[in-house]
Amino acid sequence: MTPLMIPAMFVIGAISQYVGASLGVGLFETLSPVAVAWLRGAGAGLILLVALRPRRRDWSAARLRVAALFGTVTVLMNMAFYEAIAHIDLGTAVAIEFLGPITVAVAGSRRAVDLLAAAAALVGVVCVAGVNIASDSRCSRRPCGPGTS
């Protein structure tokens, strides 16, 4: 793996999160967030089967259990995410979701430039999410984010 592949995969992952989420939101008018999550999981499974074309003899019971567990956890995560974006702004939800991969990247790095990039990403998430750190005591009694008055 070349040194440029890692940042490229990070960017591709970020783009796929936004594109997948924006396509999912468009389906909320006709389907529930849970149904959209199941469709996304089933579609991803079919794409993987077609793209990887695993041989039947490689399917052991243990490998099928691991794959089923991974798929189930992924669909449950998408259910939670789609329920979130049904209630809050898409940009805010995706920004919060992107904190997970950033945390993993920081945990696996020891370079100062990586920590600086993670700090910049955190500032971006705070800005996109509309976090308001105010001394106004009214904020404890009402929402203070974007779209609130």
Side-chain angles (χ1 to χ4, degrees), residues 12-60:
I12 290 168
I15 291 169
S16 72
Q17 280 181 300
Y18 279 100
V19 170
S22 63
L23 291 173
V25 168
L27 295 173
F28 288 171
E29 292 179 15
T30 56
L31 297 171
S32 72
V34 171
V36 173
W38 276 107
L39 283 175
R40 186 173 181 182
L46 288 173
I47 289 170
L48 284 173
L49 280 174
V50 169
L52 300 178
R53 295 191 327 230
R55 295 179 303 222
R56 183 118 166 99
R57 66 175 182 238
D58 292 338
W59 294 11
S60 67

Side-chain angles (χ1 to χ4, degrees), residues 3-130:
L4 290 177
M5 286 183 70
I6 294 171
M9 288 189 305
F10 192 75
V11 169
I12 290 168
I15 291 169
S16 72
Q17 280 181 300
Y18 279 100
V19 170
S22 63
L23 291 173
V25 168
L27 295 173
F28 288 171
E29 292 179 15
T30 56
L31 297 171
S32 72
V34 171
V36 173
W38 276 107
L39 283 175
R40 186 173 181 182
L46 288 173
I47 289 170
L48 284 173
L49 280 174
V50 169
L52 300 178
R53 295 191 327 230
R55 295 179 303 222
R56 183 118 166 99
R57 66 175 182 238
D58 292 338
W59 294 11
S60 67
R63 289 182 86 178
L64 286 174
R65 277 193 302 275
V66 169
L69 179 62
F70 179 73
T72 301
V73 169
T74 301
V75 168
L76 288 172
M77 177 200 64
N78 276 319
M79 282 181 186
F81 176 66
Y82 282 147
E83 286 292 344
I85 61 177
H87 294 89
I88 62 175
D89 293 335
L90 173 62
T92 302
V94 173
I96 293 168
E97 180 190 31
F98 203 61
L99 288 175
I102 290 171
T103 302
V104 170
V106 168
S109 177
R110 302 289 179 254
R111 299 182 325 167
V113 69
D114 295 337
L115 297 176
L116 184 63
L122 180 62
V123 168
V125 168
V126 168
C127 289
V128 168

